[in-house]
Amino acid sequence: MNDNNLREKRIDGSEVFSGKLLHVFHDRVILPNGHETGRDLIRHVGAVCVVPITDDGNVIMERQYRYPVDEILWEIPAGKLDSKSEDKLEAVKRELREETGFTAREWIDLGFLYPTPAYSDEAIQIYIAKGLEKGEQDLDDDEFINVEQIKFESLIEMVMNGEIADAKTQLALLKAKLYLDKKA
């Protein structure tokens, strides 16, 4: 299959906002039909997330308030990279330890996802962590996270019942479940 007839070509662009987390750009592009149009997009350094599974089959989950949606959400541990070149495995190890206090002996890479490719280039690398050992949380001054252990099967039900609304958490839990069921 040749998809070259779908590709847009960037003419030029400029940054219209630069923040701590996001960088917003307005680009001019040529569409496959030759017409010119604008594209607004967010450039993001990237992120990592992890499904940390205890020896007895629980998953370490977080409860965190998310200002944009004004809700407290169930999420797996995750965080942004410090730079585009940061080693993703080292970043996810850091995020797991800082947010939950846990470290892991075994790491399984499940690939990545684009959470919002219509307007952002953010890519989130997904991992499973096993062989967990409990330590102390090391949260940033602006982070407030409650950590709980929940049975994996219960989490899958929560995803399917709409109780877990975070996209990366839904996808990572379902991918991890399928991966582990194939290995069993």
Side-chain angles (χ1 to χ4, degrees), residues 12-116:
D12 63 21
S14 62
E15 187 171 25
V16 295
F17 173 79
S18 180
K20 179 180 175 185
L21 177 66
L22 303 174
H23 300 274
V24 181
F25 291 81
H26 180 77
D27 286 358
R28 300 292 304 161
V29 300
I30 296 178
L31 300 172
N33 64 4
H35 294 119
E36 189 177 313
T37 192
R39 294 282 187 237
D40 293 325
L41 65 140
I42 296 170
R43 297 275 182 215
H44 190 284
V45 70
V48 292
C49 67
V50 58
V51 178
I53 305 170
T54 65
D55 292 340
D56 59 355
N58 290 328
V59 176
I60 308 302
M61 293 292 294
E62 299 178 354
R63 295 283 286 160
Q64 188 170 12
Y65 175 75
R66 294 301 190 176
Y67 181 80
V69 295
D70 191 28
E71 289 186 37
I72 297 170
L73 300 178
W74 284 110
E75 296 183 43
I76 56 174
K80 76 175 193 63
L81 301 175
D82 287 339
S83 71
K84 281 209 179 267
S85 62
E86 182 179 13
D87 181 88
K88 291 173 181 65
L89 181 58
E90 292 306 312
V92 77
K93 288 178 179 180
R94 176 191 70 236
E95 291 299 329
L96 178 64
R97 183 188 53 76
E98 288 178 358
E99 291 185 358
T100 70
F102 283 90
T103 57
R105 291 186 306 278
E106 181 183 353
W107 293 88
I108 301 163
D109 186 338
L110 292 181
F112 75 97
L113 71 109
Y114 292 124
T116 53

